[in-house]
Amino acid sequence: MSRGQQDRQNRNQPRGRRRRRDADATRPLRRAPQSYGDESRRVVYIAAEGEKTERDYVALLNKAYGEREKFLLKFHGARNGLRPTEVVNLVIESASDPADEKWALFDRDAQDNRDQDIPDAMRKAADQGVQVALSHPSFELWLLLHFQQFTSQEGGVNDTVLRRLREHRDAKGFEEYDKASGDRGKGLDDQRGQSLLGREKDAVRNARKLVSLCSHGSCSARNLVHAPIPGPDTESYEEWTRRSGHAENCDPLKRDPSSDVWRLLVHLGIVRDEAPAR
């Protein structure tokens, strides 16, 4: 066979089929991408003490704003509830890497006797690079702030906040909120969630004002630090506290009423912070 005939025969044969099959045999199988597997989005890990309302709220943020602002919130909670230190531990354990963005959501809730646990949780969070969204008296205060300002000190008791939320004419679907036992009366079904959407700017504005009304006297949302969130063991507790706008020595148990969930929305870009220049 001449050289030209051999070249033509080689050109007519399928090329690389055996080599491609051998390469596939040694290549690790790739998992099909999951529904949240958009690598263009920032992943933020969030843990909360409950599993119903906070979970629904995080899902609402993902659905309404995740694609627009390029973030994915991965939620972790517990059916029977967690204490604040357990919330911080859970989000640390859930994150893939110590440098991942992590937020812990928990309440003051005086009825649960957590006065010692909250300071411990705050300091551990500061050591481990976890941001805390503390609500005083409860997460429901953050929901109420979507509809109105609330400045009454409640000592960690949730009754008045719940009554205002149920009675507000614009809080559609909240009329029976938390009236059933367990989690059956909680959560953010379609109507409740829809009544919150579009009011985030009002909620952030109302929550920011509460920082300036803190009983400490030196707290102000104007002092909030917007520097990138660092990893573990990179900030002192005082530096970490200033990220909330509260003074370095402000006792978190006395931030009544307040809700730092607004910081999460600003951090995600859902609401642009309107703090005036200092």
Side-chain angles (χ1 to χ4, degrees), residues 104 138 273:
S138 66
D273 190 20

Side-chain angles (χ1 to χ4, degrees), residues 2-250:
S2 68
R3 178 69 177 271
Q5 290 173 325
Q6 184 175 5
D7 289 342
R8 284 192 296 273
Q9 183 177 358
N10 289 338
R11 282 196 299 268
N12 291 331
Q13 290 180 350
R15 291 187 177 182
R17 185 172 298 169
R18 179 61 178 270
R19 290 195 301 272
R20 188 177 298 115
R21 186 162 55 247
D22 291 343
D24 288 343
T26 59
R27 184 182 299 127
L29 293 175
R30 297 181 62 187
R31 296 181 180 178
Q34 300 184 45
S35 59
Y36 55 76
D38 184 350
E39 295 182 358
S40 68
R41 301 190 188 189
R42 345 165 10 203
V43 176
V44 181
Y45 293 84
I46 296 181
E49 57 193 277
E51 194 187 36
K52 187 57 178 172
T53 302
E54 291 92 333
R55 178 184 291 275
D56 285 359
Y57 183 71
V58 168
L60 183 68
L61 295 182
N62 269 331
K63 182 177 181 180
Y65 303 108
E67 183 174 356
R68 186 190 79 184
E69 300 299 336
K70 299 298 182 183
F71 66 74
L72 172 68
L73 309 178
K74 292 189 176 183
F75 181 87
H76 300 271
R79 183 173 298 278
N80 296 322
L82 297 169
R83 297 186 67 78
T85 50
E86 294 173 326
V87 175
V88 173
N89 290 336
L90 178 60
V91 77
I92 293 171
E93 295 166 0
S94 301
S96 302
D97 186 273
D100 287 333
E101 296 181 67
K102 301 178 288 293
W103 286 75
L105 279 58
F106 50 81
D107 304 338
R108 164 73 165 79
D109 193 3
Q111 297 174 333
D112 197 20
N113 189 27
R114 53 181 66 184
D115 284 10
Q116 182 55 49
D117 199 57
I118 286 178
D120 291 345
M122 300 282 272
R123 291 196 171 272
K124 180 163 189 178
D127 289 341
Q128 296 299 314
V130 177
Q131 299 303 301
V132 168
L134 170 67
S135 294
H136 195 323
S138 66
F139 183 78
E140 283 73 23
L141 172 62
W142 169 247
L143 303 182
L144 179 62
L145 292 176
H146 286 68
F147 307 104
Q148 67 167 78
Q149 181 58 282
F150 185 87
T151 60
S152 173
Q153 295 186 358
E154 299 299 317
V157 179
N158 198 29
D159 295 348
T160 302
V161 172
L162 286 176
R163 178 173 57 81
R164 293 284 186 87
L165 182 61
R166 293 167 184 152
E167 294 177 353
H168 200 286
R169 63 182 183 182
D170 294 326
K172 307 300 183 184
F174 283 94
E175 296 84 356
E176 300 297 318
Y177 181 87
D178 200 23
K179 286 189 176 181
S181 61
D183 285 340
R184 288 182 297 167
K186 290 190 174 183
L188 302 176
D189 58 19
D190 289 342
Q191 187 178 32
R192 291 173 181 172
Q194 289 300 314
S195 69
L196 295 172
L197 292 177
R199 298 177 181 271
E200 292 85 1
K201 190 173 182 179
D202 291 336
V204 168
R205 183 183 299 113
N206 288 334
R208 290 182 81 257
K209 290 178 180 177
L210 292 180
V211 181
S212 299
L213 293 175
C214 181
S215 61
H216 181 277
S218 299
C219 303
S220 173
R222 296 178 61 184
N223 300 328
L224 183 139
V225 175
H226 287 292
I229 296 175
D233 301 318
T234 55
E235 284 186 312
S236 67
Y237 179 76
E238 291 73 22
E239 291 171 325
W240 178 84
T241 297
R242 286 198 295 269
R243 290 183 174 275
S244 66
H246 286 280
E248 298 175 358
N249 56 349
C250 176

